[in-house]
């Protein structure tokens, strides 16, 4: 049977025959599908050497069209010896159909230039009817801990599109780096985008890489990333993390920190992992500063959601700070948790007034939220359950299941033995909807998201290694209409992965080898050795 990932809802072989592409195949793009045609020519056209002209004679043309009766992201693909027909409920549906079509052409269709002398590309005669389970099928890229140059982000957008993922959550700021140009606050990147050295491996490791690390995206880079994503029907959600995870910003602008308890003028961009104690001061000046940041962010990112972090904000400095304590009294918010809720609530209202919606990590539930705000549930399922019960939309990102920085094997054969073991099969059996939700509450689960936190991923090859093949399994969880976890046919998924590895090879993905002894197992070195006494957590 056909080896598609993610699995479509229905596939039937309609005859033993086939359709085909060759150098004369015309690509007839109906109204609204011109962007998909452009994408097909740039990718499938480049890989196959078939130019896909917009007219001409052929017994088997490639035809794209919108059929509004289909679900917006759904599509029908019909292949026969009289045509290759892709119809979608919208251009997005047609795009997903085009992705399926590319998989049917074989792995060589994923290259950037032809590698075979093949003149005719056959596709089995079949009918595919498909639509996604969830509308938020996300991937977080942490470009703060290790900077990913723009080309890497564009490449991940291509990899996401190939897997029908549709939300890129860009984690743009953290203690260890600020990655987006903000014109009115230039020191955020002049100072905040570089650190002098980097903790190597786990935060308990004794090793440092003694060289500067950094980089940032200009506003034109961001515009290009957003446009490239849009052409692939992917929305980019920016994250500006407040009030914790902010040491890089404080290093750039010391007045943002709690200057009455620490000398923030001597802080630098953080060079180790974990959670910095240096958090934003809860002052009006800080709010105004970040309103300025967000004004520029809103100009660059047109999507509905803006992520404001809200996670892991240590309260020690606020406890010690007379300024923060006076603020708690003046606002009548009770304690430091109330102060954090006030801080997040300010941006919730501010974004809502500008027609956007706030999303934050599940800590933002503590202290109450405006109705439009949404939650990324990362500390297991509990935050997602609480959010959905309180009527908030939620994206399920539980650390135990879909944090792809966690190790893939329980042995000394992982480059850095970090976190819980999460195998390909574990990810395949992940269920995003918490079972305790009623059907109405479950409507609030917008979808799910895999996280690539990059403390231990210093380059693109390491990101690939942690992401794949598990991201392929995750994509199927997010897209396909799978049964309950225990009933999922993992053997069939592995069989289809057999073909999919060929596609990943053609795309140049440095995935974790699927089986057999890994090359470095025979000589475990510093990288492969578990770190004495290190907690099984990032
Ligand atoms: C998180 O992992 N702190 C969201």
């Amino acid at each position: 049977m056909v080896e598609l990932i993610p699995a479509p809802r229905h596939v039937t072989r309609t005859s033993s025959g086939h359709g085909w592409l060759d150098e004369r195949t015309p690509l007839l793009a109906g109204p609204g599908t011109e962007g998909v045609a452009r994408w097909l020519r740039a990718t499938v056209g480049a890989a196959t050497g078939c130019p896909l002209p917009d007219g001409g004679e052929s017994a088997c043309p490639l035809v794209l069209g919108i059929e509004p009766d289909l679900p917006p992201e759904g599509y029908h693909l019909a292949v026969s010896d009289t045509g290759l027909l892709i119809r979608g409920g919208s251009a997005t549906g047609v795009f997903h159909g085009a992705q399926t079509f590319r998989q049917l052409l074989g792995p060589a269709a994923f290259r950037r230039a032809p590698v075979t002398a093949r003149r005719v590309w056959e596709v089995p005669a079949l009918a595919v009817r498909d639509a996604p389970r969830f509308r938020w099928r996300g991937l977080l890229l942490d470009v703060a801990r290790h900077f990913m140059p723009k080309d890497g982000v564009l490449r991940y957008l291509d990899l996401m599109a190939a897997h029908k993922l549709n939300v890129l959550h860009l984690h743009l700021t953290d203690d260890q780096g600020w990655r987006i140009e903000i014109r009115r606050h230039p020191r955020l990147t002049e100072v905040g985008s570089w650190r002098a050295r980097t903790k190597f491996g786990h935060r308990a490791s004794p090793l440092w890489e003694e060289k500067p690390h950094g980089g940032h995206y200009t506003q034109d880079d961001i515009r290009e990333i957003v446009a490239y994503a849009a052409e692939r029907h992917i929305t980019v959600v920016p994250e500006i993390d407040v009030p914790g995870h902010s040491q890089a910003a404080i290093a750039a602008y010391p007045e943002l920190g709690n200057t009455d308890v620490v000398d923030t003028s001597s802080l630098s961009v953080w060079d180790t992992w974990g959670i910095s104690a240096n958090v934003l001061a809860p002052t009006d000046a800080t709010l105004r500063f970040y309103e300025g940041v967000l004004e520029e962010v809103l100009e660059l990112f047109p999507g509905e959601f803006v992520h404001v972090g809200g996670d892991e904000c240590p309260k020690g400095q606020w406890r010690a700070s007379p300024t923060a304590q006076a603020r708690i009294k003046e606002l009548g918010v009770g304690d430091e948790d109330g102060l954090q809720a006030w801080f997040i609530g300010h941006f919730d209202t501010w974004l809502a007034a500008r027609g956007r919606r706030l999303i934050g990590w599940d800590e933002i539930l503590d202290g109450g939220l405006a109705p439009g705000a949404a939650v990324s549930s990362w500390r297991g399922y509990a935050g997602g359950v609480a959010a959905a019960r309180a009527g908030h939309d939620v994206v399920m990102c539980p650390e135990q299941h879909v944090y792809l920085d966690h190790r893939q094997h329980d042995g000394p054969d992982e480059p850095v033995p970090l976190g819980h073991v999460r195998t390909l099969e574990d990810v395949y059996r992940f269920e995003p909807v918490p079972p305790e939700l009623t059907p109405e509450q479950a409507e609030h689960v917008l979808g799910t998201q895999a996280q690539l936190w990059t403390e231990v991923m210093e380059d693109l090859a390491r990101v690939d290694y942690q992401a794949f093949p598990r991201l392929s399994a995750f994509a199927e969880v997010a897209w396909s209409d799978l049964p309950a976890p225990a009933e999922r046919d993992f053997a069939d998924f592995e069989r289809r992965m057999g073909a999919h590895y060929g596609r990943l090879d053609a795309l140049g993905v440095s995935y974790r080898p699927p089986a057999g002894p890994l090359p470095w197992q025979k000589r475990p070195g510093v990288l492969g050795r578990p770190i004495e006494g290190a907690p099984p957590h990032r």
Side-chain angles (χ1 to χ4, degrees), residues 157-233:
L157 287 165
D158 284 331
L159 294 174
M160 289 175 68
H163 290 84
K164 301 186 172 71
L165 298 173
N166 70 342
V167 178
L168 174 64
H169 174 163
L170 265 188
H171 183 75
L172 288 164
T173 70
D174 214 302
D175 297 316
Q176 297 86 359
W178 183 285
R179 304 289 174 223
I180 175 174
E181 175 191 12
I182 299 295
R183 284 190 311 265
R184 73 190 75 181
H185 302 307
R187 286 174 59 84
L188 285 171
T189 44
E190 285 166 11
V191 173
S193 73
W194 283 88
R195 58 178 180 259
R197 62 175 194 165
T198 297
K199 175 57 70 83
F200 191 66
H202 192 284
R203 67 189 143 96
S205 145
L207 303 175
W208 299 84
E209 191 176 35
E210 297 284 351
K211 63 183 186 196
H213 176 89
H216 75 274
Y217 310 112
T218 65
Q219 295 206 347
D220 277 346
D221 291 341
I222 295 284
R223 286 187 191 94
E224 183 182 355
I225 288 168
V226 168
Y228 195 85
E231 182 97 348
R232 283 149 189 77
H233 300 265

Side-chain angles (χ1 to χ4, degrees), residues 400-455:
Q400 297 81 345
H401 299 272
V402 285
Y403 269 34
L404 301 184
D405 52 337
H406 286 218
R407 68 177 87 180
Q408 303 184 59
H409 191 269
D410 190 14
D413 58 349
E414 288 295 279
V416 176
L418 194 79
H420 311 275
V421 176
R422 281 300 147 208
T423 64
L424 182 62
E425 181 165 0
D426 291 330
V427 173
Y428 193 65
R429 295 195 191 282
F430 163 60
E431 171 50 43
V433 178
E436 54 269 62
L437 294 184
T438 64
E440 294 84 68
Q441 291 164 347
E443 291 288 308
H444 285 295
V445 179
L446 299 178
T448 181
Q449 183 170 287
Q451 275 56 234
L452 282 167
W453 299 108
T454 58
E455 287 96 329

Side-chain angles (χ1 to χ4, degrees), residues 245 311-312 361 378 403 453 538:
H245 288 282
D311 56 322
E312 299 178 319
W361 300 108
W378 75 278
Y403 269 34
W453 299 108
R538 290 178 302 128

